[in-house]
Structures are given as structure tokens and as C-alpha cells.
Amino acid sequence: MTDNIDFKQYWKSQSIATPDAKELIKKASQFKRNTLFKLIAANVLLLATSIGIGFVWYYFQPDFLSTKIGIILCIVAMVVYLAFYNTLVPLLLKNDIELDSKSQLQQLLALKEKQRFLQSVLLNGYFILLFTGLSLYMYEYVSRMTLPWAIFSYGLVVFWIAINAFYFGPKTLRKQQGRLNKLINQLKDLNEQLTD
Amino acid sequence: MTFEEIHTTYWPKVYRQCIGYMNDPDIAKDLAQETFIKVWQQLPKFRNESSISTWIFRIAVNTCLRQIEKDKKMPKSELPMGLVAEVSVDNEPEVQFLYQCISELPEIDRIIISLELEELKQKEIAEIVGLSESNVRVRIHRIKEKLTKKFQQHDR
């Protein structure tokens, strides 16, 4: 058995069919549009909600200070969330694909670690702000109700927030963090393979 | 160079790179398609700072490496079906064995040896992966030794 095996010859005899370039271009433009659409949709939705809440202030002219503080807190929660989301998404979508592998992997690792931190801090902060804001906002209207109705209204809001904050939120977070942790470990391993 | 020209010239090279990395025709097809989608998107920004070949292989290699990132990010259903005629599996056993051996190497080694077998200069390989040229040379030597050993054992 020879020591001089012609790997290159084997390598090149892999049979390959080249697809049509036009189909590829069509698909590529569609894909780009989809990603952009999601980003715009999230912005429009949260901004519209904020404007809606602001409109309540303007139109109903609440008397209590607590109502106004509540409105501000809710809007702040949504704006802060959007602000972070908007700074993170371009980073996630940015194609640093032209860098060499080493720099690319290091950048990706830094980004994923930042994302892991942001996700946990941001989501908790968002729920705390939203819950405080809503409770304050409701106080003026609830104080005019009879006691059973008041308890019912607050109960409903607490229930809704609690389900989100203690069930759906952590569930999503655990799933995302689990994936991120796995990914970060794999990236670290790849980076180690790339040390001179 | 127009996109169509690039596509025709580089598709086989990029595809081999991807199948060297994954040793799975379906995933390799997806990775190669993704590479060319990125090439198509970025081509207007390409400024000849590096050679077109280095540029394309960087994108291909990074696409392969980022494969770990997305289990669901770009589901297969979003890619056109039947773009590539089914790859016939009538390769010689030696060819299949070579690709299998390569896919068993650590990720970065897979990439380096695939680029070497594609007959890229070692300087270019170093530029693509971000290692020094001497390091690349040493690694190629070691990987080839490993592969030779596997082939010899396989033949016995």
C-alpha cells in the first residue's frame, strides 16, 4: 500500500449537479423581505399600543397622579423593550460572513454572550415595569367600583401578568437560554481549534 | 464577474466544501444554497480587497461553521425544493470513504483539508480561516498523515 494516495483526485470525482441560478435569486429576495417584515411588525405593534395608551391620557384626562405614572411606566416598558430589540436584531442579522473564520467566531461568541445577558435582564425588567404600570393605571378606575368588581378586575390583571411572568416568560427563556448555552459552548470549542 | 458566472464556476467547489464539512448531501445542498444567497446579496459590496475566490470561500466556510447556530433558523421548507437534481450516489467507494474520513475530523480540520484538496494556496487558506500560514502547513501535513493511515487500514 502506497503512502502517496492521491486524495485530490478522489476529492474532485464527487459527482455534482449545478442548480439554476435564477431560482436561487428569486428565493433569496423573498427571504430578505420576510426578515425585514418581522422587524417592522414588532415595531408597529408595540408603538401602536403605546400611542393607544397615550391617547387614553389625552382623551379621558385622568384625575389621579397614579394613573399618569402608570401610563408612563407602561410606555417606558414597551419603548425600552423595543430599543433593545432594535439594537440586537441588526447585529443578529448582520452578515459578518466576509471575515476570516477566527474573527467571525470570536465576534459571534461575544454577541451570543451579550444576547444571553440581555434576554434574562430585559424580560424581567419588562414584566416588572408593565405590572407596576398597569396596577397604578387601574387604581383610579377601580376605586370607583364596588369592592367585588374591584377585586375581580385586579384579580384578572394579576392572573394575566402572573401567567406571563411565571409561566410563559420563564418557559421561553429557559428554552432560549438552553440553546444559547449549548451554542456558546460549541463556539468556544471551535475557537479553541483555531488557536495558532 | 456576474453572479451567474460566479455561480457556475464556484457551485461545485462550494458544494464539495460543504459536503466535506457535513458528509450529508441534503445538508450540503442547503449550505451551498445559503452560501450563494449570501454571495448574491453581498456581491454589490464586494470591493476586490481580497480575491473573489478567497471572498467566496470565506462566506462558504463561515456558513458551514454557523450551521451549529440554526437548528430552526432557516427551515428546509423555506428553501426551494428540487433546485438540485438528486445527487447520484454512484461515487466510487474510495471517494465515499475519503468524504467519510474527512467528516470525522474536528470541524476546523475538515475545513482546512477541504480547501487544500480544492487546490487553494496555503496562503489563501490561512487568510480564509485566520490562522498563520505555517500553522496551516503543519495542520495539512498532520491531517494528510491521518487520512493516509485510515486509508491504509481500510485497504487491509
Side-chain angles (χ1 to χ4, degrees):
Chain A
M1 182 72 208
T2 171
D3 272 352
N4 246 334
I5 304 165
D6 191 359
F7 291 124
K8 281 179 185 165
Q9 178 223 322
Y10 289 151
W11 177 256
K12 297 228 157 142
S13 38
Q14 166 80 30
S15 54
I16 291 159
T18 308
D20 186 7
K22 282 193 192 76
E23 274 292 309
L24 198 70
I25 294 174
K26 211 172 101 195
K27 203 69 200 174
S29 25
Q30 267 171 17
F31 185 69
K32 210 173 172 183
R33 273 201 302 271
N34 285 346
T35 337
L36 200 64
F37 179 75
K38 275 182 206 156
L39 180 64
I40 294 171
N43 272 289
V44 167
L45 202 72
L46 282 186
L47 281 178
T49 317
S50 296
I51 291 170
I53 297 175
F55 178 74
V56 169
W57 185 339
Y58 174 77
Y59 194 76
F60 293 104
Q61 294 289 333
D63 301 326
F64 289 18
L65 185 65
S66 58
T67 316
K68 292 169 188 167
I69 295 176
I71 290 176
I72 290 171
L73 283 183
C74 287
I75 292 179
V76 166
M78 282 185 274
V79 169
V80 167
Y81 186 84
L82 263 190
F84 274 110
Y85 182 67
N86 283 349
T87 53
L88 203 62
V89 166
L91 281 177
L92 291 174
L93 293 179
K94 201 170 120 197
N95 290 323
D96 278 324
I97 40 172
E98 292 151 66
L99 292 170
D100 63 67
S101 314
K102 199 176 176 179
S103 328
Q104 208 241 185
L105 282 173
Q106 276 162 359
Q107 222 180 56
L108 200 61
L109 187 60
L111 170 71
K112 293 292 161 187
E113 281 174 338
K114 190 176 157 197
Q115 195 185 356
R116 180 167 65 176
F117 172 75
L118 269 186
Q119 263 179 358
S120 49
V121 173
L122 196 62
L123 212 65
N124 285 333
Y126 178 71
F127 280 125
I128 292 169
L129 274 177
L130 204 66
F131 180 62
T132 321
L134 263 176
S135 309
L136 286 173
Y137 171 76
M138 282 172 66
Y139 181 70
E140 179 175 347
Y141 307 101
V142 170
S143 63
R144 292 177 196 153
M145 296 174 183
T146 56
L147 190 64
W149 274 112
I151 292 173
F152 176 72
S153 311
Y154 263 112
L156 213 63
V157 170
V158 168
F159 175 71
W160 177 72
I161 294 266
I163 268 196
N164 280 294
F166 298 116
Y167 183 69
F168 289 117
K171 202 180 155 194
T172 320
L173 197 66
R174 255 200 312 278
K175 221 167 96 189
Q176 284 174 338
Q177 299 268 306
R179 253 176 52 196
L180 270 180
N181 285 337
K182 199 176 139 210
L183 183 60
I184 286 170
N185 286 336
Q186 283 173 316
L187 284 174
K188 280 185 178 155
D189 174 51
L190 285 178
N191 267 324
E192 248 162 56
Q193 287 183 38
L194 271 170
T195 35
D196 260 320
Chain B
M1 231 177 162
T2 66
F3 177 74
E4 277 78 5
E5 284 164 359
I6 292 175
H7 185 263
T8 320
T9 318
Y10 283 96
W11 177 273
K13 295 170 191 277
V14 167
Y15 180 80
R16 278 195 292 264
Q17 189 67 38
C18 298
I19 200 161
Y21 189 75
M22 290 307 287
N23 198 28
D24 176 317
D26 286 332
I27 302 178
K29 200 166 74 184
D30 281 355
L31 286 174
Q33 279 181 0
E34 213 187 313
T35 302
F36 279 97
I37 288 178
K38 288 175 189 165
V39 166
W40 180 77
Q41 285 171 345
Q42 305 289 320
L43 195 59
K45 288 188 240 157
F46 175 67
R47 299 214 199 294
N48 282 312
E49 279 155 8
S50 53
S51 76
I52 186 101
S53 144
T54 307
W55 186 73
I56 290 171
F57 277 113
R58 272 188 175 177
I59 296 181
V61 164
N62 287 336
T63 305
C64 287
L65 284 172
R66 292 185 77 149
Q67 161 74 12
I68 52 165
E69 208 191 335
K70 40 149 204 279
D71 20 31
K72 288 187 197 89
K73 209 171 165 188
M74 196 177 184
K76 273 205 173 117
S77 56
E78 286 196 31
L79 283 169
M81 299 298 286
L83 261 193
V84 183
E86 275 314 304
V87 182
S88 51
V89 212
D90 56 358
N91 289 318
E92 298 165 54
E94 288 92 342
V95 177
Q96 275 180 46
F97 187 65
L98 173 66
Y99 279 88
Q100 188 200 322
C101 289
I102 291 176
S103 71
E104 287 162 4
L105 296 167
E107 287 89 345
I108 304 299
D109 285 356
R110 283 181 230 165
I111 287 166
I112 292 175
I113 192 66
S114 302
L115 292 169
E116 158 73 14
L117 293 177
E118 204 52 64
E119 292 184 65
L120 269 74
K121 291 195 188 82
Q122 294 184 352
K123 184 169 170 287
E124 207 179 343
I125 300 179
E127 274 172 35
I128 292 167
V129 293
L131 287 169
S132 69
E133 218 182 311
S134 55
N135 193 314
V136 168
R137 194 178 315 120
V138 174
R139 282 188 192 218
I140 290 175
H141 183 71
R142 283 196 203 134
I143 300 168
K144 278 190 172 164
E145 260 177 14
K146 255 193 231 174
L147 290 178
T148 310
K149 240 181 229 158
K150 282 193 176 179
F151 264 73
Q152 285 167 344
Q153 280 166 1
H154 182 67
D155 268 18
R156 258 185 241 134

